[in-house]
Amino acid sequence: MPLACLPGAAAAVALVLCAHGVERAAEPTAQPAARQAPAHTAPRPHILPRATWVGEEAREQPPPRYDDGVVAVFVHHTDSPNDYACAETPEVIRHLYEGQILARDFDDIGYNFLVDRCGVIYEGRAGGTDRAVTGAHTQGFNHRTVGIAAIGTFTAGAPVPKPMLHAIATLAAWKLGPAGTDPRAEVRLVSSNGGSRYAAGTAATLPAVAGHNDGYETSCPGAALHARLPQIREMAAEMQGRASDARRETRRIGEASAALPSGTQADRRRADERQS
């Protein structure tokens, strides 16, 4: 049965966290997968730096850990209120950070990026937005992945703002580009922790743009947001310059038709005309 996300600091204006089951220390034990030469990339979206939200609350922490690349994205929600003004987002992130640092003894915020309801993207975990920073967001699958948190609660029936969906897609397209990963594809990831859905050392086949609950037993990122993941994958693929599924099917049919003998094509056109 899915686990609900655990609450963070009680004083953090009723905000609760959805990084349940995060690995506190992510050692570089993941087995590297064969890397495909990047054929499709997407531009870097505008990302507000940590300094925008961390302020004087930054605490001493160990150096960032890095992987050799990013081949998958895990999407989360923060399980916090949805009615914030976007001008309040830095304060919201700061409360999430304090909850993970103080209540859960993390060394930093677990998510690599956070996206608010207006589609503004914020740098989360320290280490550099352009680098493959090992996050602390999906137990067992923090290696070679990026954690993107949608700020809010997106359980069944909750509306997911279009700017938020677009921002998540732009991040996914950009971060998966260097590995040549199609956001609509599946990837092979090796679990590093038996607390995930897969025993440690197990090779799991997961969506390249997955929900937190695809890798870990949790309700995160909420049923409403998880239902929008196919849309996010398709948007991200188009941002990488890949043909949409509909365009690919149209092209496949066209190529198959062109391969038919000319008489067969004429017969098919006459049959189509009779049906119209």
Side-chain angles (χ1 to χ4, degrees):
M1 180 174 180
L3 300 176
C5 298
L6 297 178
V13 293
L15 293 176
V16 290
L17 308 175
C18 196
H20 186 80
V22 173
E23 292 172 289
R24 185 171 174 226
E27 299 298 332
T29 56
Q31 298 178 15
R35 177 170 296 184
Q36 177 184 354
H40 298 272
T41 57
R44 180 188 189 277
H46 180 64
I47 302 168
L48 295 181
R50 281 171 61 91
T52 305
W53 58 265
V54 73
E56 298 179 355
E57 303 302 321
R59 289 167 169 77
E60 186 176 351
Q61 60 191 56
R65 297 178 292 274
Y66 297 98
D67 287 302
D68 63 342
V70 172
V71 299
V73 168
F74 281 97
V75 177
H76 305 255
H77 71 173
T78 57
D79 204 16
S80 54
N82 291 353
D83 59 353
Y84 58 93
C86 291
E88 299 172 330
T89 300
E91 181 181 359
V92 172
I93 298 176
R94 190 157 54 249
H95 283 308
L96 293 168
Y97 169 74
E98 291 171 352
Q100 292 188 349
I101 290 287
L102 298 177
R104 308 187 71 180
D105 199 27
F106 288 10
D107 59 11
D108 192 3
I109 194 166
Y111 313 117
N112 298 99
F113 300 96
L114 299 99
V115 177
D116 73 10
R117 60 198 298 267
C118 294
V120 180
I121 302 171
Y122 290 82
E123 177 185 12
R125 195 167 183 83
T129 57
D130 294 338
R131 301 190 63 182
V133 179
T134 305
H137 50 83
T138 306
Q139 189 172 44
F141 298 105
N142 287 315
H143 294 290
R144 312 187 84 227
T145 68
V146 160
I148 302 173
I151 300 175
T153 300
F154 300 103
T155 49
V160 185
K162 290 182 179 179
M164 176 178 278
L165 293 172
H166 186 270
I168 294 172
T170 62
L171 270 173
W174 172 57
K175 293 301 289 187
L176 294 177
T181 301
D182 186 332
R184 301 162 300 190
E186 293 184 327
V187 296
R188 178 179 175 273
L189 298 172
V190 178
S191 174
S192 62
N193 190 300
S196 75
R197 287 185 181 273
Y198 301 87
T202 301
T205 300
L206 298 170
V209 178
H212 185 184
N213 53 1
D214 289 313
Y216 184 78
E217 190 74 21
T218 176
S219 61
C220 181
L225 182 52
H226 198 277
R228 305 302 290 274
L229 291 182
Q231 179 184 356
I232 290 172
R233 294 176 190 126
E234 187 65 32
M235 286 194 295
E238 291 183 4
M239 291 171 187
Q240 287 185 346
R242 300 178 187 272
S244 69
D245 288 339
R247 283 163 50 202
R248 286 191 300 178
E249 179 64 11
T250 300
R251 186 169 60 195
R252 184 190 68 78
I253 294 172
E255 290 172 350
S257 178
L260 293 173
S262 57
T264 305
Q265 293 185 53
D267 292 341
R268 179 164 293 180
R269 281 197 299 272
R270 286 192 291 271
D272 291 340
E273 289 168 359
R274 287 195 297 270
Q275 293 173 8
S276 60

